[in-house]
Amino acid sequence: NTVLVLANALTFRFAEFVTHLGGTEQLTGTVISVGMLAAIAVRFRLGHDIDACGTRRLWLTSTLLFVAACVLLVQTNSISWVLYVARIAFSIGIAGMFTCSMVNIQNEVPAERRTEAIGSLGTSGFLGMILGSLLGDITFVSLPNGSVRFTVVFAVALALGVVYLGLVMLITRQHVRPRSGQSNPPVLQLMKRYWPGSVLLVALVMGTGLVVTTVFLTRMATERGIAHIGTFFISYSLAALACRIVTRNWSRTVGRRRMIAVGLCGHAVGQLLLISVQSEWQLLVPAVFCGLGHGLLFPAVTS
């Protein structure tokens, strides 16, 4: 999971990449949206296919899609259909990789310890976010303006994708394909029977916040003359990590509903404070609030 988040963090500069190719913020939003819509469409089948084919097959397929997306991004030098295909493959691959990783760890622990296990998995990702942000900043400071810096960033993400593929093969080497038996009910029937209610809206807020910080924060930083976005993501990750340690038992003592409520407050305050940021050091406070919000929301909502 650390390797996956590290590779993903390197692509936080995607909006800058689109701008470098001659695109606008509007075009960046369109490309991101197309990828997200494709990922949403795939998710309607993803759970069913994991049950039918097994975690291993879907996990490896998703990783190969991610690797293919990085290959396309390394070779992209203009705004064309290739950029859209690369982002679609990237979004679907990431969605499948995270989902299969989550399913795998939930299958390994008792149900009553599930929230803690998900929190531990997320904690490993914060290390990847710190390393990825630092590596991205170092690359952009060290290399001259132009396509070279983006080629290096996407090439490193590609290499990490290959490493991740090897790790998944190792982790799942003893997995067996599920036996074919009674067919599972359709996804819409499952959603109707086990409708998650307002938690779905909370997840929507989380997703919106993640897109703002992981896609468009870099454009805001560039417009306001802020050289390093690593300051935000390092503080974000450390705050979330500290939050996970302090609140590791909250799912049993405080309850997930209160975890979600406090997490939403932290998330909202962090986004509000980002509006007034004009220098690098001013990223610290909103990063802490956003990190605290993420640290509480992710395990509670997912569980």
Side-chain angles (χ1 to χ4, degrees), residues 206-229:
M206 285 178 58
T208 304
L210 284 174
V211 169
V212 169
T213 53
T214 62
V215 177
F216 291 106
L217 179 68
T218 178
R219 293 296 302 129
M220 185 197 80
T222 299
E223 288 293 326
R224 298 182 181 182
I226 301 173
H228 303 103
I229 60 171

PDB file of all heavy atoms in Angstrom, residues 206-229:
ATOM      1  N   MET A 206     -15.846  13.331   1.002  1.00  0.00           N
ATOM      2  CA  MET A 206     -14.445  12.908   1.064  1.00  0.00           C
ATOM      3  C   MET A 206     -13.811  12.908  -0.315  1.00  0.00           C
ATOM      4  O   MET A 206     -12.693  13.416  -0.509  1.00  0.00           O
ATOM      5  CB  MET A 206     -14.347  11.499   1.651  1.00  0.00           C
ATOM      6  CG  MET A 206     -14.551  11.395   3.141  1.00  0.00           C
ATOM      7  SD  MET A 206     -14.474   9.668   3.664  1.00  0.00           S
ATOM      8  CE  MET A 206     -12.837   9.200   3.081  1.00  0.00           C
ATOM      9  N   GLY A 207     -14.514  12.337  -1.280  1.00  0.00           N
ATOM     10  CA  GLY A 207     -13.980  12.257  -2.646  1.00  0.00           C
ATOM     11  C   GLY A 207     -13.751  13.628  -3.252  1.00  0.00           C
ATOM     12  O   GLY A 207     -12.737  13.874  -3.916  1.00  0.00           O
ATOM     13  N   THR A 208     -14.696  14.535  -3.015  1.00  0.00           N
ATOM     14  CA  THR A 208     -14.555  15.906  -3.522  1.00  0.00           C
ATOM     15  C   THR A 208     -13.314  16.573  -2.931  1.00  0.00           C
ATOM     16  O   THR A 208     -12.527  17.215  -3.640  1.00  0.00           O
ATOM     17  CB  THR A 208     -15.806  16.730  -3.177  1.00  0.00           C
ATOM     18  OG1 THR A 208     -16.956  16.075  -3.687  1.00  0.00           O
ATOM     19  CG2 THR A 208     -15.719  18.126  -3.781  1.00  0.00           C
ATOM     20  N   GLY A 209     -13.150  16.422  -1.634  1.00  0.00           N
ATOM     21  CA  GLY A 209     -11.987  17.017  -0.975  1.00  0.00           C
ATOM     22  C   GLY A 209     -10.674  16.458  -1.484  1.00  0.00           C
ATOM     23  O   GLY A 209      -9.698  17.194  -1.678  1.00  0.00           O
ATOM     24  N   LEU A 210     -10.642  15.154  -1.723  1.00  0.00           N
ATOM     25  CA  LEU A 210      -9.420  14.529  -2.228  1.00  0.00           C
ATOM     26  C   LEU A 210      -9.070  15.031  -3.622  1.00  0.00           C
ATOM     27  O   LEU A 210      -7.893  15.238  -3.944  1.00  0.00           O
ATOM     28  CB  LEU A 210      -9.576  13.005  -2.240  1.00  0.00           C
ATOM     29  CG  LEU A 210      -9.465  12.309  -0.884  1.00  0.00           C
ATOM     30  CD1 LEU A 210      -9.795  10.829  -1.007  1.00  0.00           C
ATOM     31  CD2 LEU A 210      -8.067  12.481  -0.306  1.00  0.00           C
ATOM     32  N   VAL A 211     -10.083  15.237  -4.472  1.00  0.00           N
ATOM     33  CA  VAL A 211      -9.816  15.754  -5.816  1.00  0.00           C
ATOM     34  C   VAL A 211      -9.260  17.173  -5.734  1.00  0.00           C
ATOM     35  O   VAL A 211      -8.310  17.519  -6.443  1.00  0.00           O
ATOM     36  CB  VAL A 211     -11.098  15.719  -6.676  1.00  0.00           C
ATOM     37  CG1 VAL A 211     -10.894  16.500  -7.974  1.00  0.00           C
ATOM     38  CG2 VAL A 211     -11.475  14.280  -7.000  1.00  0.00           C
ATOM     39  N   VAL A 212      -9.842  17.990  -4.859  1.00  0.00           N
ATOM     40  CA  VAL A 212      -9.366  19.373  -4.708  1.00  0.00           C
ATOM     41  C   VAL A 212      -7.891  19.394  -4.308  1.00  0.00           C
ATOM     42  O   VAL A 212      -7.083  20.127  -4.887  1.00  0.00           O
ATOM     43  CB  VAL A 212     -10.217  20.127  -3.662  1.00  0.00           C
ATOM     44  CG1 VAL A 212      -9.564  21.465  -3.307  1.00  0.00           C
ATOM     45  CG2 VAL A 212     -11.620  20.364  -4.198  1.00  0.00           C
ATOM     46  N   THR A 213      -7.528  18.575  -3.311  1.00  0.00           N
ATOM     47  CA  THR A 213      -6.160  18.630  -2.792  1.00  0.00           C
ATOM     48  C   THR A 213      -5.153  17.886  -3.671  1.00  0.00           C
ATOM     49  O   THR A 213      -4.018  18.343  -3.818  1.00  0.00           O
ATOM     50  CB  THR A 213      -6.103  18.068  -1.363  1.00  0.00           C
ATOM     51  OG1 THR A 213      -6.687  16.764  -1.332  1.00  0.00           O
ATOM     52  CG2 THR A 213      -6.847  18.966  -0.406  1.00  0.00           C
ATOM     53  N   THR A 214      -5.545  16.762  -4.244  1.00  0.00           N
ATOM     54  CA  THR A 214      -4.577  15.966  -5.001  1.00  0.00           C
ATOM     55  C   THR A 214      -4.462  16.383  -6.467  1.00  0.00           C
ATOM     56  O   THR A 214      -3.494  16.022  -7.130  1.00  0.00           O
ATOM     57  CB  THR A 214      -4.926  14.471  -4.938  1.00  0.00           C
ATOM     58  OG1 THR A 214      -6.212  14.247  -5.525  1.00  0.00           O
ATOM     59  CG2 THR A 214      -4.937  13.967  -3.509  1.00  0.00           C
ATOM     60  N   VAL A 215      -5.442  17.137  -6.982  1.00  0.00           N
ATOM     61  CA  VAL A 215      -5.399  17.543  -8.390  1.00  0.00           C
ATOM     62  C   VAL A 215      -5.162  19.043  -8.540  1.00  0.00           C
ATOM     63  O   VAL A 215      -4.266  19.473  -9.269  1.00  0.00           O
ATOM     64  CB  VAL A 215      -6.698  17.132  -9.121  1.00  0.00           C
ATOM     65  CG1 VAL A 215      -6.670  17.627 -10.574  1.00  0.00           C
ATOM     66  CG2 VAL A 215      -6.881  15.626  -9.092  1.00  0.00           C
ATOM     67  N   PHE A 216      -5.948  19.854  -7.850  1.00  0.00           N
ATOM     68  CA  PHE A 216      -5.934  21.288  -8.121  1.00  0.00           C
ATOM     69  C   PHE A 216      -5.113  22.118  -7.143  1.00  0.00           C
ATOM     70  O   PHE A 216      -4.883  23.305  -7.380  1.00  0.00           O
ATOM     71  CB  PHE A 216      -7.366  21.822  -8.184  1.00  0.00           C
ATOM     72  CG  PHE A 216      -8.116  21.324  -9.395  1.00  0.00           C
ATOM     73  CD1 PHE A 216      -9.084  20.354  -9.271  1.00  0.00           C
ATOM     74  CD2 PHE A 216      -7.827  21.817 -10.653  1.00  0.00           C
ATOM     75  CE1 PHE A 216      -9.765  19.880 -10.385  1.00  0.00           C
ATOM     76  CE2 PHE A 216      -8.495  21.358 -11.778  1.00  0.00           C
ATOM     77  CZ  PHE A 216      -9.478  20.388 -11.643  1.00  0.00           C
ATOM     78  N   LEU A 217      -4.650  21.517  -6.045  1.00  0.00           N
ATOM     79  CA  LEU A 217      -3.804  22.269  -5.110  1.00  0.00           C
ATOM     80  C   LEU A 217      -2.519  22.728  -5.798  1.00  0.00           C
ATOM     81  O   LEU A 217      -2.043  23.850  -5.570  1.00  0.00           O
ATOM     82  CB  LEU A 217      -3.467  21.408  -3.892  1.00  0.00           C
ATOM     83  CG  LEU A 217      -2.567  22.080  -2.850  1.00  0.00           C
ATOM     84  CD1 LEU A 217      -3.303  23.224  -2.167  1.00  0.00           C
ATOM     85  CD2 LEU A 217      -2.083  21.077  -1.809  1.00  0.00           C
ATOM     86  N   THR A 218      -1.967  21.889  -6.644  1.00  0.00           N
ATOM     87  CA  THR A 218      -0.725  22.247  -7.335  1.00  0.00           C
ATOM     88  C   THR A 218      -0.922  23.443  -8.267  1.00  0.00           C
ATOM     89  O   THR A 218      -0.040  24.284  -8.418  1.00  0.00           O
ATOM     90  CB  THR A 218      -0.170  21.039  -8.119  1.00  0.00           C
ATOM     91  OG1 THR A 218       1.004  21.430  -8.808  1.00  0.00           O
ATOM     92  CG2 THR A 218      -1.177  20.540  -9.148  1.00  0.00           C
ATOM     93  N   ARG A 219      -2.119  23.566  -8.882  1.00  0.00           N
ATOM     94  CA  ARG A 219      -2.381  24.711  -9.753  1.00  0.00           C
ATOM     95  C   ARG A 219      -2.519  25.991  -8.924  1.00  0.00           C
ATOM     96  O   ARG A 219      -2.049  27.055  -9.310  1.00  0.00           O
ATOM     97  CB  ARG A 219      -3.658  24.478 -10.565  1.00  0.00           C
ATOM     98  CG  ARG A 219      -3.547  23.355 -11.577  1.00  0.00           C
ATOM     99  CD  ARG A 219      -2.519  23.657 -12.663  1.00  0.00           C
ATOM    100  NE  ARG A 219      -2.834  24.884 -13.360  1.00  0.00           N
ATOM    101  CZ  ARG A 219      -1.961  25.872 -13.550  1.00  0.00           C
ATOM    102  NH1 ARG A 219      -0.718  25.754 -13.108  1.00  0.00           N
ATOM    103  NH2 ARG A 219      -2.314  26.961 -14.177  1.00  0.00           N
ATOM    104  N   MET A 220      -3.179  25.893  -7.771  1.00  0.00           N
ATOM    105  CA  MET A 220      -3.304  27.043  -6.879  1.00  0.00           C
ATOM    106  C   MET A 220      -1.922  27.502  -6.419  1.00  0.00           C
ATOM    107  O   MET A 220      -1.622  28.701  -6.377  1.00  0.00           O
ATOM    108  CB  MET A 220      -4.171  26.694  -5.668  1.00  0.00           C
ATOM    109  CG  MET A 220      -4.455  27.881  -4.753  1.00  0.00           C
ATOM    110  SD  MET A 220      -5.033  27.414  -3.103  1.00  0.00           S
ATOM    111  CE  MET A 220      -3.475  26.978  -2.321  1.00  0.00           C
ATOM    112  N   ALA A 221      -1.073  26.520  -6.066  1.00  0.00           N
ATOM    113  CA  ALA A 221       0.275  26.847  -5.600  1.00  0.00           C
ATOM    114  C   ALA A 221       1.068  27.579  -6.686  1.00  0.00           C
ATOM    115  O   ALA A 221       1.757  28.572  -6.414  1.00  0.00           O
ATOM    116  CB  ALA A 221       0.996  25.572  -5.179  1.00  0.00           C
ATOM    117  N   THR A 222       0.970  27.102  -7.915  1.00  0.00           N
ATOM    118  CA  THR A 222       1.690  27.732  -9.015  1.00  0.00           C
ATOM    119  C   THR A 222       1.190  29.153  -9.251  1.00  0.00           C
ATOM    120  O   THR A 222       1.978  30.085  -9.445  1.00  0.00           O
ATOM    121  CB  THR A 222       1.532  26.898 -10.305  1.00  0.00           C
ATOM    122  OG1 THR A 222       2.081  25.600 -10.085  1.00  0.00           O
ATOM    123  CG2 THR A 222       2.246  27.551 -11.476  1.00  0.00           C
ATOM    124  N   GLU A 223      -0.128  29.339  -9.245  1.00  0.00           N
ATOM    125  CA  GLU A 223      -0.709  30.666  -9.469  1.00  0.00           C
ATOM    126  C   GLU A 223      -0.283  31.655  -8.389  1.00  0.00           C
ATOM    127  O   GLU A 223      -0.153  32.853  -8.649  1.00  0.00           O
ATOM    128  CB  GLU A 223      -2.239  30.562  -9.496  1.00  0.00           C
ATOM    129  CG  GLU A 223      -2.812  29.890 -10.726  1.00  0.00           C
ATOM    130  CD  GLU A 223      -2.594  30.714 -11.988  1.00  0.00           C
ATOM    131  OE1 GLU A 223      -2.626  31.958 -11.893  1.00  0.00           O
ATOM    132  OE2 GLU A 223      -2.375  30.119 -13.056  1.00  0.00           O
ATOM    133  N   ARG A 224      -0.049  31.165  -7.162  1.00  0.00           N
ATOM    134  CA  ARG A 224       0.287  32.058  -6.046  1.00  0.00           C
ATOM    135  C   ARG A 224       1.784  32.051  -5.722  1.00  0.00           C
ATOM    136  O   ARG A 224       2.202  32.551  -4.687  1.00  0.00           O
ATOM    137  CB  ARG A 224      -0.536  31.668  -4.811  1.00  0.00           C
ATOM    138  CG  ARG A 224      -2.029  31.815  -5.046  1.00  0.00           C
ATOM    139  CD  ARG A 224      -2.867  31.490  -3.828  1.00  0.00           C
ATOM    140  NE  ARG A 224      -4.295  31.627  -4.127  1.00  0.00           N
ATOM    141  CZ  ARG A 224      -5.272  31.452  -3.246  1.00  0.00           C
ATOM    142  NH1 ARG A 224      -4.992  31.138  -1.992  1.00  0.00           N
ATOM    143  NH2 ARG A 224      -6.537  31.584  -3.605  1.00  0.00           N
ATOM    144  N   GLY A 225       2.580  31.444  -6.610  1.00  0.00           N
ATOM    145  CA  GLY A 225       4.028  31.489  -6.453  1.00  0.00           C
ATOM    146  C   GLY A 225       4.571  30.612  -5.347  1.00  0.00           C
ATOM    147  O   GLY A 225       5.641  30.883  -4.797  1.00  0.00           O
ATOM    148  N   ILE A 226       3.875  29.538  -5.020  1.00  0.00           N
ATOM    149  CA  ILE A 226       4.327  28.597  -3.986  1.00  0.00           C
ATOM    150  C   ILE A 226       5.047  27.446  -4.680  1.00  0.00           C
ATOM    151  O   ILE A 226       4.461  26.730  -5.489  1.00  0.00           O
ATOM    152  CB  ILE A 226       3.128  28.072  -3.162  1.00  0.00           C
ATOM    153  CG1 ILE A 226       2.402  29.247  -2.496  1.00  0.00           C
ATOM    154  CG2 ILE A 226       3.597  27.076  -2.119  1.00  0.00           C
ATOM    155  CD1 ILE A 226       1.108  28.854  -1.807  1.00  0.00           C
ATOM    156  N   ALA A 227       6.318  27.258  -4.364  1.00  0.00           N
ATOM    157  CA  ALA A 227       7.147  26.307  -5.108  1.00  0.00           C
ATOM    158  C   ALA A 227       6.879  24.854  -4.728  1.00  0.00           C
ATOM    159  O   ALA A 227       6.905  23.967  -5.574  1.00  0.00           O
ATOM    160  CB  ALA A 227       8.625  26.638  -4.906  1.00  0.00           C
ATOM    161  N   HIS A 228       6.651  24.587  -3.436  1.00  0.00           N
ATOM    162  CA  HIS A 228       6.575  23.203  -2.971  1.00  0.00           C
ATOM    163  C   HIS A 228       5.183  22.873  -2.427  1.00  0.00           C
ATOM    164  O   HIS A 228       4.690  23.565  -1.532  1.00  0.00           O
ATOM    165  CB  HIS A 228       7.610  22.945  -1.863  1.00  0.00           C
ATOM    166  CG  HIS A 228       9.011  23.250  -2.274  1.00  0.00           C
ATOM    167  ND1 HIS A 228       9.665  24.400  -1.864  1.00  0.00           N
ATOM    168  CD2 HIS A 228       9.881  22.577  -3.056  1.00  0.00           C
ATOM    169  CE1 HIS A 228      10.889  24.405  -2.385  1.00  0.00           C
ATOM    170  NE2 HIS A 228      11.045  23.312  -3.108  1.00  0.00           N
ATOM    171  N   ILE A 229       4.564  21.817  -2.965  1.00  0.00           N
ATOM    172  CA  ILE A 229       3.303  21.343  -2.399  1.00  0.00           C
ATOM    173  C   ILE A 229       3.562  20.225  -1.390  1.00  0.00           C
ATOM    174  O   ILE A 229       2.649  19.799  -0.685  1.00  0.00           O
ATOM    175  CB  ILE A 229       2.340  20.841  -3.492  1.00  0.00           C
ATOM    176  CG1 ILE A 229       2.964  19.678  -4.286  1.00  0.00           C
ATOM    177  CG2 ILE A 229       1.933  21.970  -4.410  1.00  0.00           C
ATOM    178  CD1 ILE A 229       1.990  19.008  -5.230  1.00  0.00           C
TER     179      ILE A 229
END
